[in-house]
Amino acid sequence: MHTAATGDPAPAETRKRPRNRKAQLAVVAAEMFCEHGYHGVSLDEIATEVGISGPAIYRHFPNKYAMLVYATRQLTESVLTATDLRPLPDPGERLDALLAALSRLAVEGRRMGGLYQWEWRYLEDEHREELRGALTALVDRVGVPLRVLRPELTEPEANALVRAALSVFGSLSTHRAVIARGKAEAVLRRTAWAVLRGEPPLPAPAQPREEGEEPALRVGARREVVLAESIKLFHVYGYHAVAVEDIGRAAGINASSVYRYFPGKADILAAAFYRASERVAEATAVALRGAGDDAGALQRLVESYVDLTFERSALVSVYLAENNNLPDADRHELRKLQRLHVEEWVRLLGRVRPGLPVPEARVLVHAALNLVTDLSRWVGFDRSTGMDRHLVRLAVAVLTADS
């Protein structure tokens, strides 16, 4: 480069490494993990996004896993810091201040909330326990003023309600529906209040069940066996941890025989997604056909989704967790189908609540769906806990908050 006046070389710019480079890298990594999946992002891609060379990352992190751990810690520390509020004598005011802080964080950290939702699966046991400890501290922090405000609640009951409210906040990171920041914060805060004022979703003690027990799937042809076993393995271990050899062994065939039914592992995952989409569409159609009015249709729609979640827990979990691992064409097609499904809920909710703005309706629908997933996972998808009945009531409360 030359100066315009003299043609002499311009002095080289001195680029200073920002003080917070490590934190900046962690934020970018967290957002990319949530967008593309932990295994779908390389260190070089993170470096490119930040504007540095790949080797420069190693000044801050020894490997990608260290970035995941650091990003998860940053997320939990920011939540605990933001909710470490000055004492307020009125428990209602304190609880409202906590919900306001959490709604603000949910909006600000929308692009990396998936660390809490799904990417934590890739943490080792030691770091999972660390994350659980932070979550427990947050639940306790919100539960204390709730119990003062509602003295009839036991500690487990209050904690169960808080978990449900936290799921409402976390739901914003599970979708891309457009809504103004202030509106989003207000809707989340109002909905969390509706949950906390309700009956606690305290699960009954689960009955003993075998490890990995899943309701039997109807299987016929060998292809169905391969698909069913793959879904179970993806659910338990995650897509990237499962090899074709594992699938063949579970299906009782050689790994090479798997390729008679599917071109590759990604095609099995895509087939699982299409199967889940079909099940959701079928359940929705049945629910809507049997309803007498819009309010009844909404109730039946919630019931059908809860039933599907518990009856096909592995399929639903894979459907929600492994989207980023689909081939591009399938991912775009399936996201379109998911949006169409959500829009069906939104249209129905709009008829039940005619004054509700569509952007807010979308946020409420996603909050209700996420709550069902989160709390059913909390009890291991075990109907004997009674959580399915709680979830129908809670999801309806979310959808009709302040109606």
Side-chain angles (χ1 to χ4, degrees), residues 76-85 141:
T76 55
E77 286 171 8
S78 67
V79 172
L80 291 177
T81 299
T83 54
D84 187 15
L85 306 175
R141 186 169 289 176

Side-chain angles (χ1 to χ4, degrees), residues 178-257:
V178 177
I179 184 170
R181 173 174 174 156
K183 288 287 186 183
E185 290 185 18
V187 172
L188 293 174
R189 184 177 177 183
R190 189 168 66 239
T191 307
W193 263 118
V195 168
L196 294 178
R197 290 188 178 109
E199 179 187 338
L202 189 64
Q207 299 300 313
R209 53 191 304 217
E210 294 180 13
E211 185 68 24
E213 184 182 350
E214 176 78 10
L217 292 173
R218 242 181 118 184
V219 294
R222 179 63 67 182
R223 185 180 189 275
E224 287 296 309
V225 176
V226 171
L227 180 58
E229 294 301 330
S230 298
I231 290 168
K232 292 178 184 177
L233 290 170
F234 295 158
H235 170 51
V236 175
Y237 302 107
Y239 173 78
H240 281 279
V242 177
V244 173
E245 290 77 11
D246 300 321
I247 294 170
R249 191 178 307 113
I253 59 177
N254 295 326
S256 59
S257 298

Side-chain angles (χ1 to χ4, degrees), residues 79-80 83 98 102 133-143 162 166:
V79 172
L80 291 177
T83 54
L98 286 166
L102 289 168
L135 178 59
T136 298
L138 178 61
V139 169
D140 290 343
R141 186 169 289 176
V142 181
V162 173
L166 293 179

Side-chain angles (χ1 to χ4, degrees), residues 281-293 297 300-301:
E282 290 166 2
T284 299
V286 170
L288 296 180
R289 273 201 306 269
D293 56 20
R300 286 175 61 87
L301 201 53

Side-chain angles (χ1 to χ4, degrees), residues 106-398:
V107 175
E108 290 175 352
R110 183 177 187 178
R111 292 184 60 192
M112 55 184 182
L115 287 181
Y116 161 74
Q117 290 291 124
W118 296 109
E119 298 309 310
W120 62 269
R121 295 176 301 160
Y122 302 111
L123 293 173
E124 294 172 2
D125 288 345
E126 169 193 356
H127 300 121
R128 284 192 191 189
E129 284 304 314
E130 190 177 319
L131 179 59
R132 287 192 188 102
L135 178 59
T136 298
L138 178 61
V139 169
D140 290 343
R141 186 169 289 176
V142 181
V144 168
L146 176 61
R147 288 188 67 197
V148 176
L149 192 66
R150 298 187 58 186
E152 78 279 8
L153 296 175
T154 65
E155 184 176 350
E157 288 172 338
N159 290 348
L161 282 172
V162 173
R163 281 180 175 273
L166 293 179
S167 181
V168 168
F169 293 119
S171 68
L172 198 66
S173 67
T174 66
H175 62 92
R176 303 176 183 179
V178 177
I179 184 170
R181 173 174 174 156
K183 288 287 186 183
E185 290 185 18
V187 172
L188 293 174
R189 184 177 177 183
R190 189 168 66 239
T191 307
W193 263 118
V195 168
L196 294 178
R197 290 188 178 109
E199 179 187 338
L202 189 64
Q207 299 300 313
R209 53 191 304 217
E210 294 180 13
E211 185 68 24
E213 184 182 350
E214 176 78 10
L217 292 173
R218 242 181 118 184
V219 294
R222 179 63 67 182
R223 185 180 189 275
E224 287 296 309
V225 176
V226 171
L227 180 58
E229 294 301 330
S230 298
I231 290 168
K232 292 178 184 177
L233 290 170
F234 295 158
H235 170 51
V236 175
Y237 302 107
Y239 173 78
H240 281 279
V242 177
V244 173
E245 290 77 11
D246 300 321
I247 294 170
R249 191 178 307 113
I253 59 177
N254 295 326
S256 59
S257 298
V258 172
Y259 296 105
R260 294 180 188 172
Y261 309 103
F262 296 95
K265 191 174 73 163
D267 299 282
I268 302 176
L269 181 63
F273 266 73
Y274 285 111
R275 177 62 52 81
S277 183
E278 290 166 6
R279 294 289 181 267
V280 169
E282 290 166 2
T284 299
V286 170
L288 296 180
R289 273 201 306 269
D293 56 20
D294 289 334
L298 188 63
Q299 176 77 23
R300 286 175 61 87
L301 201 53
V302 171
E303 291 170 353
S304 71
Y305 188 76
V306 171
D307 285 342
L308 181 66
T309 300
F310 278 84
E311 290 170 6
R312 295 287 182 262
S313 58
L315 183 62
V316 171
S317 294
V318 170
Y319 182 65
L320 295 170
E322 303 293 354
N323 192 291
N324 292 321
N325 294 312
L326 287 165
D328 287 344
D330 293 304
R331 184 169 65 251
H332 294 314
E333 177 63 22
L334 282 157
R335 280 182 175 169
K336 183 171 70 175
L337 293 174
Q338 288 171 335
R339 284 194 296 271
L340 290 173
H341 175 240
V342 168
E343 288 306 303
E344 193 152 15
W345 284 65
V346 170
R347 283 192 295 272
L348 179 57
L349 183 58
R351 293 199 297 271
V352 174
R353 302 181 58 182
L356 183 67
V358 170
E360 294 184 23
R362 288 196 185 102
V363 170
L364 291 177
V365 167
H366 282 288
L369 297 176
N370 193 63
L371 187 147
V372 171
T373 306
D374 274 357
L375 269 67
S376 59
R377 196 171 59 206
W378 178 36
V379 297
F381 302 96
D382 190 344
R383 279 189 183 275
S384 72
T385 63
M387 183 57 78
D388 52 345
R389 297 187 299 277
H390 284 299
L391 285 174
V392 169
R393 176 183 49 76
L394 269 174
V396 170
V398 165

